[in-house]
Amino acid sequence: MWVDGEVIERTDWCDNLFSLKIKASIEPYIAGQFIKLSQIINDKRIGRAYSIVNAPNSEYVEVLAVSVLDGLLSPNLHQLKVGDHIEVSSKAAGFMTLDEVPPQGKDLWLLATGTAVGPFISILETDEPWARFEHIALVYGVREAKDLAYKEKLLALEKRYPNQFKLLFSVTRESYPDALETRISTALASGEIERRLEINITAEDSQVMLCGNPEMIKDANNILLEKGLSKNLRRAPGQITIEKYW
């Protein structure tokens, strides 16, 4: 079911990376879930999934999107202005939520690439992770520094929770202060991420959520399996929770 949504604010992070705040009457959702946005184009409904960036107690939904040159919907979304309307799915979906993460473990690891940081920002905007985990580490990978959406919000969380929240950027195509200069999976395999953040990833202490491009997820998952962690399934709880972004 689709409901009408009105764009009430937009942020342009760089040429093709943008966020939209949309006022729409959707059902209650859980931090980390996604909605679908859609338009009728050439007499055909085109819908795509976008993770909700904001916390569930907001009066709007916020999505982070990248305009793909040959995309069927994203170039149209990129043209939306405040006051424009877009159809929104009335119910959110998805399992990249803390509800799906088993209760064991004191350290929460969030590994994201590109716009897949969205569900993690939504989770971090709620009280649950801060009450539940001793340490929370976010590793956020992009190609260029301009692609670091919500950087200031994340740095503010680092200041707010200096002993609990550890933030590490990975920028692969240019140098950026204090950031990794390599892919997340490469730094994970070498142990650089653990050394930089001064936390060890172990099956006993860690829960790891992977969200982003399939290559990163495949490589990171294999590295974590070698460390003794296991994929989290409802029938067999583990330490690795995964959501691919395409």
Side-chain angles (χ1 to χ4, degrees):
M1 179 178 174
W2 301 95
V3 298
D4 178 69
E6 179 184 357
V7 178
I8 59 173
E9 187 178 322
R10 69 169 289 151
T11 300
D12 291 282
W13 304 103
C14 60
D15 290 345
N16 64 342
L17 182 65
F18 62 102
S19 296
L20 298 174
K21 288 184 180 180
I22 303 169
K23 188 174 183 179
S25 297
I26 70 169
E27 296 180 25
Y29 60 91
I30 302 170
Q33 290 190 309
F34 64 85
I35 56 167
K36 288 186 176 182
L37 304 180
S38 81
Q39 288 181 330
I40 303 298
I41 302 173
N42 297 326
D43 299 321
K44 182 179 180 180
R45 181 178 293 280
I46 304 296
R48 294 290 184 270
Y50 294 92
S51 289
I52 302 172
V53 178
N54 54 298
N57 58 358
S58 306
E59 295 183 353
Y60 57 85
V61 290
E62 183 171 358
V63 299
L64 174 64
V66 60
S67 180
V68 180
L69 185 61
D70 58 351
L72 295 179
L73 182 63
S74 62
N76 288 23
L77 298 182
H78 195 213
Q79 298 301 315
L80 291 176
K81 304 180 297 295
V82 172
D84 288 344
H85 290 254
I86 183 73
E87 290 191 274
V88 182
S89 58
S90 62
K91 188 174 182 180
F95 301 101
M96 185 52 62
T97 66
L98 287 184
D99 290 15
E100 297 294 326
V101 175
Q104 67 266 24
K106 64 184 180 64
D107 301 328
L108 176 65
W109 287 84
L110 309 172
L111 309 184
T113 57
T115 57
V117 75
F120 294 153
I121 292 174
S122 180
I123 289 170
L124 294 173
E125 289 277 273
T126 67
D127 294 333
E128 184 178 357
W130 309 107
R132 181 171 164 184
F133 295 97
E134 184 176 328
H135 299 112
I136 301 171
L138 171 62
V139 186
Y140 176 13
V142 296
R143 294 177 178 177
E144 300 178 38
K146 67 180 182 179
D147 300 321
L148 288 169
Y150 300 98
K151 178 181 65 176
E152 298 305 323
K153 180 186 290 287
L154 294 171
L155 291 171
L157 285 174
E158 191 178 39
K159 289 183 178 180
R160 182 178 177 184
Y161 301 99
N163 299 317
Q164 189 175 12
F165 184 52
K166 296 180 180 290
L167 174 65
L168 182 60
F169 296 131
S170 169
V171 182
T172 58
R173 293 191 177 179
E174 62 179 338
S175 295
Y176 186 74
D178 300 321
L180 298 168
E181 295 184 22
T182 186
R183 296 165 58 205
I184 288 175
S185 55
T186 302
L188 187 63
S190 69
E192 184 177 3
I193 288 176
E194 291 167 273
R195 288 194 297 272
R196 292 278 293 267
L197 298 184
E198 300 180 326
I199 311 174
N200 293 323
I201 298 176
T202 67
E204 294 74 27
D205 293 336
S206 307
Q207 287 292 335
V208 185
M209 302 179 80
L210 306 175
C211 194
N213 74 70
E215 185 177 359
M216 182 278 284
I217 288 176
K218 177 184 175 182
D219 292 345
N221 181 61
N222 289 337
I223 294 164
L224 293 169
L225 292 175
E226 292 175 0
K227 287 179 172 289
L229 283 70
S230 62
K231 187 174 181 181
N232 177 34
L233 303 171
R234 286 185 172 178
R235 66 178 183 275
Q239 299 86 22
I240 310 169
T241 302
I242 290 173
E243 183 166 273
K244 296 178 182 179
Y245 241 52
W246 60 79

